[in-house]
Amino acid sequence: MIKTKKETLKKNIEVDILIIGAGITGMTTAYFLKDLKNILIVDANRIGFGVTLNTTAKINYFQDNMYNKIIESSDEKVATKYLKSQLYAIKSIKKIIEEENIDCDFKKVKSYVFAKNKNDVRSLIKEVEFLRKNKIKIYEKDLPINIKSYKSFYVNDTYIFNPIKYLEGIYNIIKDKIPVYENTKIIKIESLWTHFNCYTINHIIKAKKVIIATHYPYFLSPLYLPFKSYIEKSYIVVSKVNKDLDFTCISNGRNSYSLRFYNDKQNIYQISLAENHNTAFKQNDDYHFDKVKNIFNIKDSDIVMKYTNVDIMTMDNLPFIGKLKNNMYIASGFNTWGMTNGILSARIISNMILNKPNIYKDIFNPNRFKLTDLKKLPYILFSQTKSFIGSKLYKNKPWYNSNLSFFYKKGKSLACYKDKNDVNHIIYNKCPHLGCSLIFNESEKTWDCPCHSSRFNIDGKCIKGPSNYDISYKER
Ligand SMILES: Cc1cc2nc3c(=O)[nH]c(=O)nc-3n(C[C@H](O)[C@H](O)[C@H](O)COP(=O)(O)OP(=O)(O)OC[C@H]3O[C@@H](n4cnc5c(N)ncnc54)[C@H](O)[C@@H]3O)c2cc1C
């Protein structure tokens, strides 16, 4: 998150526009709207604390197998429009960074997509054909790093940056016009005829327009996101290396391998990612981190950091961007490409508010419904049900392993983590969002919800949404 802490909201307030969420989406939307008066941004945590904190931050339109997937779920026309939207987003962020002189390590790199399995070669070639048909210059070349690959192509006009430095830059531009309140969580939005009442724990923000840029919107209706999406978790290992290489790469099949470098002028880091999976399945984090180490030949002594991150995957591979209902806008479901899609959302939503044209209204309409989506519905329902019921059934175990226990007390399902000093930390084992049981994340010492990725610390404090409440246990 960005360095300086901001104030928390301490009074009721009335605004024209409330932006909820200060990640890349919310902050860039504020940037585009900065000439309007009476706007406010609130964040449940800090600016840049959300998914934007742990992204690999590739600004790229050669997105593994994206165009094939969109052609399958929609058609070639939609895929072409999506491609144009990504190029437009890249142009927009480049313009902001260059015109505003934002120091955020923005750098042009080659971006490769490669087939790590023989079976993925055909779809890679198909993806390349689609891009070439759309006049994208694309080159076939071996990967400049030692990872098994059956075929690889790259494009030239893509970028990497440091998104937190970018947010710091945006904050410095807007701060005199748009206040940002941190540690100010919106727990309820009430729609009235003339405005919305947005509730924090202690105060009400009355807003004529609301922009929900919270990554995963916590409400169930009207979007019904839990039935239109699933959460994908990835494992990231950051290691020190000697050489800064000007490229990024990602594989195109299931379970992507992805890599970029970051040079902070003191050290060079390799950021390696793999093992992505639906949070409803496979949860042994150490196993997945070991796999990442092996895939990228990373030595233990070079590792600086390991963490996980999640993003929202939609049924038709297109984000939800735009008007949810009158005066309420949303940006979510970025399918792991939220740098371009966050910027694009900011552009689309600000254009809607400023009554400027928007050619993407139809393909990203958050209220869209496609018959083809029904194909994936059983998978989504199965994974949601598995997360909801599965963990409730098998987890009634005293000392499940040496430091975890799951038990019931006065009809409540509880879980306990015993720390290295043998202190017990008890929590309510039920996510306040939609009631799923939690899974302990050994590597990061958090309780994670397999359904929609809320995360709680060992004492039950909610550190990431969509839950709006803590699950700390108090003996009564
Ligand atoms: C492992 C991984 C790697 C990725 N790599 C790339 C990449 O290379 N390139 C790319 O384009 N994309 C990438 N992505 C996707 C991208 O990082 C995300 O889609 C993007 O950061 C989402 O930004 P956001 O602003 O919408 O959400 P966030 O950054 O999550 O911001 C949302 C903010 O809302 C706040 N909030 C939440 N609930 C509330 C509430 N109730 N009240 C107030 N505030 C609230 C949160 O505190 C948070 O600060 C990656 C994703 C993952 C998981």
Side-chain angles (χ1 to χ4, degrees):
M1 58 223 123
I2 79 170
K3 279 180 223 132
T4 47
K5 262 189 159 176
K6 318 286 168 287
E7 260 185 87
T8 298
L9 184 74
K10 294 199 184 79
K11 58 179 185 213
N12 294 344
I13 194 166
E14 256 184 75
V15 293
D16 286 343
I17 302 175
L18 173 67
I19 300 175
I20 311 174
I24 190 162
T25 309
M27 290 298 280
T28 311
T29 309
Y31 171 82
F32 288 130
L33 294 174
K34 65 184 182 311
D35 294 329
L36 297 183
K37 294 210 165 48
N38 209 12
I39 305 184
L40 177 70
I41 308 178
V42 292
D43 196 284
N45 212 296
R46 305 268 310 272
I47 298 175
F49 178 80
V51 183
T52 305
L53 179 67
N54 288 333
T55 177
T56 45
K58 300 176 195 159
I59 304 173
N60 187 3
Y61 61 86
F62 194 15
Q63 301 173 351
D64 52 81
N65 201 26
M66 186 59 91
Y67 303 102
N68 284 332
K69 288 194 276 190
I70 297 177
I71 292 169
E72 198 183 308
S73 61
S74 302
D75 56 40
E76 204 168 317
K77 231 165 107 187
V78 175
T80 306
K81 215 167 186 181
Y82 179 79
L83 168 64
K84 283 191 181 144
S85 76
Q86 302 303 291
L87 296 170
Y88 171 59
I90 294 175
K91 216 163 123 190
S92 300
I93 192 167
K94 185 167 182 285
K95 188 160 177 261
I96 300 174
I97 293 170
E98 289 175 354
E99 277 181 3
E100 303 287 357
N101 222 349
I102 299 176
D103 175 13
C104 58
D105 308 319
F106 185 67
K107 186 166 133 184
K108 193 169 186 177
V109 287
K110 287 181 178 152
S111 290
Y112 285 79
V113 175
F114 66 100
K116 67 180 184 317
N117 300 312
K118 235 183 185 161
N119 292 345
D120 298 329
V121 171
R122 251 177 71 187
S123 62
L124 178 57
I125 292 174
K126 212 169 143 212
E127 188 86 350
V128 167
E129 280 167 1
F130 168 82
L131 287 168
R132 286 196 171 136
K133 200 168 150 192
N134 282 283
K135 304 196 172 39
I136 300 292
K137 286 198 180 122
I138 192 158
Y139 310 90
E140 183 169 0
K141 198 170 178 216
D142 288 344
L143 284 181
I145 195 161
N146 186 17
I147 304 175
K148 182 126 187 99
S149 158
Y150 287 88
K151 212 168 211 21
S152 51
F153 293 88
Y154 74 87
V155 292
N156 258 326
D157 42 355
T158 52
Y159 300 84
I160 51 172
F161 74 138
N162 177 330
I164 300 304
K165 285 188 172 181
Y166 166 80
L167 292 184
E168 185 107 48
I170 295 288
Y171 173 72
N172 287 331
I173 298 163
I174 63 166
K175 67 180 178 203
D176 295 331
K177 297 175 176 169
I178 304 179
V180 183
Y181 288 105
E182 292 186 331
N183 292 308
T184 302
K185 188 181 243 184
I186 300 297
I187 52 172
K188 187 174 141 196
I189 304 176
E190 191 178 58
S191 304
L192 300 168
W193 277 108
T194 49
H195 65 277
F196 298 94
N197 277 340
C198 304
Y199 293 83
T200 69
I201 299 275
N202 297 313
H203 301 288
I204 302 176
I205 305 169
K206 227 170 141 176
K208 289 189 188 136
K209 291 184 196 296
V210 172
I211 300 167
I212 300 166
T214 54
H215 187 243
Y216 197 103
Y218 55 87
F219 49 76
L220 186 59
S221 70
L223 190 59
Y224 296 102
L225 201 60
F227 305 107
K228 293 178 171 180
S229 65
Y230 63 93
I231 311 283
E232 195 168 273
K233 178 170 173 180
S234 310
Y235 298 78
I236 299 121
V237 175
V238 181
S239 54
K240 272 193 188 165
V241 288
N242 297 324
K243 234 168 134 190
D244 188 8
L245 299 172
D246 283 350
F247 82 96
T248 76
C249 65
I250 189 161
S251 63
N252 72 332
R254 285 165 73 91
N255 182 5
S256 324
Y257 300 174
S258 154
L259 178 144
R260 69 162 277 192
F261 295 87
Y262 178 61
N263 186 344
D264 72 358
K265 300 186 181 98
Q266 288 177 331
N267 293 300
I268 304 161
Y269 301 98
Q270 178 178 310
I271 306 173
S272 314
L273 175 156
E275 293 294 291
N276 48 327
H277 64 80
N278 182 333
T279 45
F281 307 109
K282 293 193 267 183
Q283 287 291 338
N284 184 337
D285 290 359
D286 287 337
Y287 166 84
H288 293 298
F289 280 123
D290 280 345
K291 292 267 289 225
V292 180
K293 275 180 355 194
N294 291 338
I295 290 164
F296 295 97
N297 304 311
I298 303 167
K299 281 197 260 154
D300 278 329
S301 55
D302 293 331
I303 295 178
V304 199
M305 230 193 284
K306 294 190 287 189
Y307 50 84
T308 62
N309 202 1
V310 293
D311 211 7
I312 303 166
M313 314 301 284
T314 62
M315 295 213 234
D316 61 0
N317 306 291
L318 296 164
F320 299 118
I321 309 171
K323 195 186 254 188
L324 200 51
K325 57 184 186 180
N326 256 352
N327 296 319
M328 184 184 265
Y329 304 84
I330 193 165
S332 189
F334 294 154
N335 297 291
T336 75
W337 294 102
M339 297 298 104
T340 43
N341 285 309
I343 300 291
L344 180 71
S345 305
R347 200 66 270 194
I348 291 176
I349 291 172
S350 60
N351 278 356
M352 284 178 153
I353 288 176
L354 297 167
N355 290 321
K356 290 186 179 169
N358 164 24
I359 59 164
Y360 304 109
K361 215 160 46 190
D362 50 343
I363 70 165
F364 299 127
N365 176 2
N367 295 310
R368 67 183 178 269
F369 171 75
K370 288 189 185 128
L371 273 177
T372 46
D373 287 355
L374 292 176
K375 270 204 294 193
K376 275 199 192 161
L377 191 61
Y379 170 73
I380 286 176
L381 288 179
F382 171 70
S383 57
Q384 304 273 342
T385 314
K386 181 181 177 298
S387 300
F388 185 77
I389 299 176
S391 46
K392 283 189 192 323
L393 289 180
Y394 78 77
K395 278 203 170 160
N396 192 10
K397 289 192 177 175
W399 300 111
Y400 175 72
N401 63 27
S402 61
N403 58 1
L404 293 178
S405 73
F406 297 87
F407 54 99
Y408 282 86
K409 199 168 174 182
K410 294 184 187 158
K412 301 269 183 220
S413 169
L414 304 177
C416 177
Y417 165 69
K418 193 198 290 181
D419 69 21
K420 55 180 187 303
N421 301 318
D422 280 351
V423 177
N424 289 336
H425 301 263
I426 302 178
I427 51 125
Y428 286 106
N429 182 18
K430 185 173 174 184
C431 179
H433 177 224
L434 292 179
C436 295
S437 302
L438 304 166
I439 287 176
F440 193 67
N441 176 335
E442 278 285 353
S443 50
E444 292 165 279
K445 307 282 179 264
T446 53
W447 288 100
D448 297 352
C449 175
C451 293
H452 309 105
S453 79
S454 295
R455 294 181 79 174
F456 306 85
N457 73 11
I458 50 171
D459 293 312
K461 186 173 166 31
C462 179
I463 44 179
K464 287 202 175 160
S467 167
N468 272 331
Y469 301 97
D470 298 339
I471 47 164
S472 314
Y473 173 72
K474 287 183 196 78
E475 191 81 54
R476 275 175 242 254

